[in-house]
Amino acid sequence: MQNTENHTDKKKVAFYTLGCKLNYSETSTISRMFESKGYEKVEFNQKPDIFIINTCSVTENADKKCKKIVKEANKINPDGYVTIIGCYAQLKPQEIADIEGVDAVLGAAEKFQLIDLLDGFVKEPSGQKAKVYNQNIEEAIDYHTSYSLNDRTRTFLKVQDGCDYPCAYCTIPLARGASRSDSIANVVKAAQEIAASGVKEIVLTGVNIGDFGLRNGTREETFFDLVKALDEVEGINRFRISSIEPNLLTDEIIAFVAQSKRFVPHFHIPLQSGSNKVLGLMRRRYKRELYVDRVQKIKELMPDCCIGVDVIVGHPGETEEEFLETYNFLNELPISYLHVFTYSERENTTALTIKPVVPQSKRAERSKMLHILSDKKRRYFYEQQLGKNFEVLFEEDVEDGQMQGFTENYVRVTAKYDPLLINETKQVALVSINEKMLVEVQEAEVLFESH
């Protein structure tokens, strides 16, 4: 009888995450903290008592999304306690506190203490302003190990936080603070815990993971040291490097991945512009020549390696000629896909002082051109892989009797659903590309065998 009462008394909590893989890893860790304290994790639409919304503020759109999610939470449960955390909460706490229906706002230094700070999540009387816990970003010096679990086949493992690179367009140093890292010993321990849960692939994530090893402003270890240590972790089939700055992607890292037991041939390397003049305006720490060198080195050692690229269009000062310089630069590089970001104005960034400002219509036009180029690049990369055998890690998402997964070099494949294949790595032959830009593989009974 006592157990039943405890169960019905459990407060229900739901989470919503906006933004990057780093946010997903942190949300997942915070949700496990709630569960360890006796809260019940539920879906957003299951009338939770507490809503935790983890926000992003990379684009203006992310701010609007936050307001929309709050509105939806208030509809689902008008008596629910709405808490906002994340980058937007650090940058604009008072603005969020003014949103109708928000009960609490927690900044970067406070989000991992929210259960203690909010003490029972009791709503204030109607008309009372939201509680704000938000220290200056200089106070965000602690490091919190985070990883996503039970959310998907792959796990995002945070290894680094914050950034010391003051790029002209970016608010992340203001939202997350200075660069700081976990220790290699802690990351390896987390990877072993993840392996014990049955997860087969870990994606290493952070704000600037190539800068790994800084603690209290002192470099104690390096990202290369971390990669070598993780390569020895039993039980994980694959490690994937989510994103690494070109100036921090060293020859030794590339060479190690090329012969690694567990690190896959896939790099995501931010470029942002193919024009040296625009790279200078953006305050990036390399020139396009270094980027070419990194891509050539990777392809020389790993011809089938997938290379993803971040690029920003419409940054202040970018002329039509400089955009075309970027377009042609990317067109000629043997890369595999693009993540295209349209520049948007952010407060307290030096980009606001740069002239001329690119009109919104021009930004949209340039974005469209690069999206089309990305589709062409992806298709060409997939075509180069046809007829070859790869390992695919199959995921739980099933649609129209088909399941999907990724090869080690990040080709998305589709195959007939088989429950035995979920979260399994299997050898397949890549056969053809369908109309959804998924690669079809040979018949399951022929090649889906353990090896």
Side-chain angles (χ1 to χ4, degrees):
M1 184 68 186
Q2 184 65 40
N3 283 348
T4 309
E5 286 173 6
N6 281 348
H7 180 72
T8 53
D9 287 341
K10 264 189 177 184
K11 276 197 172 181
K12 295 189 289 186
V13 59
F15 299 84
Y16 197 96
T17 307
L18 294 159
C20 62
K21 294 168 183 171
L22 188 54
N23 272 6
Y24 279 96
S25 73
E26 291 180 341
T27 299
S28 189
T29 297
I30 292 167
S31 81
R32 291 195 296 278
M33 286 164 50
F34 271 90
E35 289 175 286
S36 72
K37 298 272 190 182
Y39 291 82
E40 182 188 354
K41 184 183 174 186
V42 297
E43 294 299 319
F44 209 78
N45 59 359
Q46 292 179 309
K47 207 176 177 186
D49 303 296
I50 305 158
F51 296 88
I52 309 291
I53 302 166
N54 193 357
T55 60
C56 164
S57 196
V58 170
T59 66
E60 205 174 348
N61 204 25
D63 303 356
K64 289 172 188 162
K65 282 179 185 172
C66 173
K67 289 167 188 167
K68 191 174 180 182
I69 304 299
V70 170
K71 200 173 176 184
E72 191 61 26
N74 292 156
K75 259 198 289 189
I76 290 165
N77 184 4
D79 299 320
Y81 194 101
V82 178
T83 305
I84 312 294
I85 61 174
C87 292
Y88 182 29
Q90 176 63 38
L91 290 171
K92 298 190 176 178
Q94 295 306 328
E95 186 176 296
I96 297 171
D98 289 337
I99 298 171
E100 191 179 341
V102 170
D103 296 290
V105 185
L106 286 88
E110 294 82 14
K111 63 188 168 194
F112 285 95
Q113 305 160 35
L114 60 84
I115 297 176
D116 296 328
L117 287 171
L118 299 179
D119 191 28
F121 299 87
V122 179
K123 282 183 85 73
E124 298 290 335
S126 182
Q128 196 90 358
K129 201 170 173 183
K131 291 179 177 175
V132 175
Y133 298 89
N134 183 290
Q135 297 177 66
N136 194 297
I137 194 59
E138 278 77 26
E139 303 299 320
I141 54 173
D142 292 336
Y143 186 87
H144 297 273
T145 303
S146 302
Y147 55 85
S148 59
L149 212 54
N150 305 324
D151 299 331
R152 53 190 74 200
T153 311
R154 297 189 305 283
T155 284
F156 300 124
L157 170 58
K158 177 174 117 177
V159 301
Q160 183 274 343
D161 200 353
C163 189
D164 296 337
Y165 284 17
C167 296
Y169 51 83
C170 186
T171 57
I172 296 299
L174 301 173
R176 284 190 168 268
S179 182
R180 56 203 185 276
S181 307
D182 215 335
S183 67
I184 288 176
N186 274 350
V187 176
V188 168
K189 182 168 171 281
Q192 289 165 338
E193 288 169 9
I194 293 164
S197 77
V199 167
K200 299 287 197 329
E201 180 176 316
I202 291 177
V203 182
L204 303 182
T205 186
V207 177
N208 185 359
I209 64 174
D211 200 33
F212 175 89
L214 280 176
R215 276 189 296 288
N216 301 317
T218 305
R219 183 162 306 286
E220 297 181 7
E221 295 167 320
T222 69
F223 185 63
F224 183 49
D225 296 333
L226 176 67
V227 166
K228 287 188 291 185
L230 289 174
D231 205 48
E232 300 300 323
V233 174
E234 298 290 336
I236 296 295
N237 291 36
R238 299 173 169 180
F239 284 97
R240 205 176 285 280
I241 298 170
S242 66
S243 180
I244 183 165
E245 294 282 312
N247 54 307
L248 298 175
L249 178 57
T250 61
D251 282 353
E252 60 184 0
I253 293 170
I254 295 168
F256 186 84
V257 169
Q259 55 81 53
S260 158
K261 291 177 280 190
R262 294 184 171 86
F263 277 81
V264 295
H266 175 205
F267 291 97
H268 192 93
I269 315 168
L271 169 69
Q272 312 310 12
S273 176
S275 156
N276 281 340
K277 184 193 150 205
V278 176
L279 286 172
L281 292 173
M282 290 177 165
R283 296 169 70 173
R284 301 292 286 163
R285 299 195 174 199
Y286 53 86
K287 289 192 161 64
R288 56 185 258 158
E289 289 77 12
L290 174 80
Y291 200 92
V292 172
D293 183 70
R294 299 299 76 206
V295 171
Q296 284 175 345
K297 183 76 177 173
I298 291 166
K299 285 295 185 177
E300 178 189 312
L301 297 179
M302 294 168 274
D304 289 329
C305 186
C306 179
I307 302 175
V309 183
D310 286 342
V311 60
I312 296 171
V313 296
H315 189 275
E318 181 187 68
T319 64
E320 192 67 26
E321 292 72 29
E322 284 148 5
F323 166 70
L324 290 173
E325 198 181 340
T326 295
Y327 184 94
N328 293 327
F329 180 73
L330 290 165
N331 192 32
E332 288 162 21
L333 274 181
I335 55 166
S336 315
Y337 64 90
L338 305 173
H339 281 174
V340 183
F341 298 90
T342 303
Y343 170 78
S344 64
E345 285 76 2
R346 312 307 289 148
E347 282 178 30
N348 302 313
T349 56
T350 57
L352 295 176
T353 64
I354 300 168
K355 299 288 182 278
V357 172
V358 179
Q360 291 289 354
S361 59
K362 276 282 173 204
R363 297 183 208 180
E365 189 183 295
R366 291 173 190 178
S367 173
K368 187 177 177 183
M369 282 177 70
L370 285 185
H371 275 101
I372 292 167
L373 179 62
S374 180
D375 290 343
K376 286 178 181 171
K377 287 284 184 184
R378 191 185 297 273
R379 174 169 282 278
Y380 182 73
F381 175 66
Y382 281 8
E383 284 169 353
Q384 302 303 107
Q385 311 311 310
L386 296 181
K388 297 175 185 175
N389 287 7
F390 289 97
E391 275 197 347
V392 172
L393 175 60
F394 283 98
E395 300 178 349
E396 287 187 62
D397 300 334
V398 180
E399 196 179 313
D400 301 329
Q402 294 285 113
M403 63 196 303
Q404 295 181 12
F406 283 102
T407 63
E408 56 267 49
N409 65 340
Y410 213 56
V411 174
R412 187 174 264 288
V413 311
T414 180
K416 189 179 174 189
Y417 171 63
D418 178 346
L420 290 176
L421 290 177
I422 289 172
N423 198 31
E424 295 295 330
T425 52
K426 298 297 175 184
Q427 278 273 356
V428 300
L430 307 190
V431 176
S432 59
I433 304 168
N434 71 15
E435 70 284 352
K436 292 181 179 175
M437 270 288 266
L438 299 170
V439 175
E440 293 175 344
V441 296
Q442 282 217 355
E443 289 300 312
E445 58 264 29
V446 177
L447 277 160
F448 290 165
E449 297 167 359
S450 296
H451 62 287

